[in-house]
Amino acid sequence: MSPSVWYDLVLFLLLFALYVYVFATVRITNLHKVYFLFHFLMMLWPLCQFATDMAHDRRLQLFYVTMSFVSLSMLGSGWLLLTVFLTGNADKLGKKRLFLLFAPAVIAVVGVVMNPFSLFVAPLEGGYIDRAYGPWFWIVIVILVSYFFCFPLCFVSDIAFLPNVTND
């Protein structure tokens, strides 16, 4: 068993402690609710990676790998949603924009969960601790990276429409 297994557990425990601390010490607003969602998705990755390495049943390993990549797929849209709330543009989110925000992530998640013909992941050496990624994995990565490229656009568009303020 590699040391990275224990790093994943320690990372999860640190993220969980931060989650509990923020939950216990702040007044819950809509921004905090979005943060909790984003933070929960972040916590799932190390927890599921740890569980994958600890499980011996191949089906259970596949479940944990699937859950970790479902959380990773939703992380981009969660980050962008948190950015929208941080910039104060939450009131501009309508049904159409929410659909556009989450549609690529949901498409990625459907492909990850279905894993047709092992296009997402296939086991190596009898289990999913060592695995081979297929073309759907790269589609998920492209979708995730595209969310992070959209992140600066939120700030640029927000700054571009700020009223001019002069100091008199």
Side-chain angles (χ1 to χ4, degrees):
M1 187 174 315
S2 73
S4 68
V5 172
W6 300 108
Y7 296 141
D8 287 331
L9 179 62
V10 169
L11 179 60
F12 167 74
L13 292 173
L14 288 172
L15 285 169
F16 183 71
L18 179 63
Y19 189 86
V20 169
Y21 172 76
V22 171
F23 186 78
T25 60
V26 300
R27 185 176 60 92
I28 307 299
T29 64
N30 285 338
L31 174 62
H32 289 99
K33 290 175 187 176
V34 172
Y35 169 76
F36 287 139
L37 172 68
F38 174 69
H39 196 93
F40 176 75
L41 293 171
M42 279 195 309
M43 287 190 325
L44 272 181
W45 175 264
L47 177 65
C48 290
Q49 291 300 306
F50 173 75
T52 301
D53 287 336
M54 297 308 272
H56 297 291
D57 182 20
R58 184 176 155 175
R59 290 174 300 189
L60 201 52
Q61 288 176 344
L62 176 60
F63 172 75
Y64 291 133
V65 167
T66 301
M67 288 305 298
S68 64
F69 279 97
V70 164
S71 71
L72 184 67
S73 298
M74 295 303 292
L75 200 60
S77 58
W79 175 254
L80 201 54
L81 183 64
L82 182 62
T83 303
V84 168
F85 272 79
L86 285 172
T87 57
N89 292 323
D91 56 334
K92 296 177 186 172
L93 281 176
K95 289 180 183 179
K96 182 179 178 183
R97 288 186 182 188
L98 276 175
F99 175 78
L100 291 174
L101 179 68
F102 284 101
V106 170
I107 291 168
V109 165
V110 168
V112 167
V113 171
M114 290 180 56
N115 195 19
F117 308 109
S118 298
L119 286 174
F120 176 67
V121 66
L124 295 177
E125 300 176 15
Y128 285 91
I129 294 173
D130 296 316
R131 49 195 174 258
Y133 296 110
W136 192 258
F137 170 80
W138 296 107
I139 292 171
V140 169
I141 296 303
V142 166
I143 290 171
L144 184 63
V145 169
S146 68
Y147 274 114
F148 290 107
F149 280 122
C150 290
F151 167 71
L153 296 176
C154 288
F155 282 118
V156 169
S157 65
D158 192 44
I159 291 171
F161 296 107
L162 286 177
N164 291 332
V165 178
T166 59
N167 293 332
D168 291 331

